[in-house]
Amino acid sequence: MLNQIPFQDGSLPGASYIEGANACPPEDVGGGPGYEDFLEAMANPDHPEHDAMVEWHGDVFDPAAFECERVNQWFKRIKV
């Protein structure tokens, strides 16, 4: 049996991503159907909701972006 002992700060030792795919949907986007509507509006500058979605989200959104460092920071906050 292999036991892992947490670091002094309680984070998991060695847990990290080195690559990944796709961004998480934004918080409060409205579940699956809301996310589909969001992606459609964000991808098309002529969409009637495009400007409102950019303003709501605060920036353009790249659904293919994956932020390894951000995910690894989340891992560091996991306490055991």
Side-chain angles (χ1 to χ4, degrees):
M1 176 189 271
L2 175 65
N3 290 325
Q4 289 189 331
I5 300 171
F7 290 126
Q8 290 286 18
D9 66 0
S11 64
L12 296 175
S16 64
Y17 269 88
I18 56 171
E19 65 180 4
N22 299 325
C24 294
E27 287 288 325
D28 300 326
V29 77
Y35 185 52
E36 288 178 19
D37 293 342
F38 173 76
L39 290 177
E40 183 180 323
M42 292 296 276
N44 180 359
D46 295 326
H47 190 284
E49 296 294 316
H50 177 80
D51 292 340
M53 290 295 176
V54 171
E55 184 176 335
W56 173 78
H57 184 259
D59 200 355
V60 295
F61 180 76
D62 180 3
F66 182 80
E67 300 176 33
C68 273
E69 187 54 36
R70 186 173 184 185
V71 172
N72 287 330
Q73 291 301 317
W74 288 336
F75 273 142
K76 288 179 182 178
R77 290 188 300 229
I78 295 173
K79 303 293 182 190
V80 291

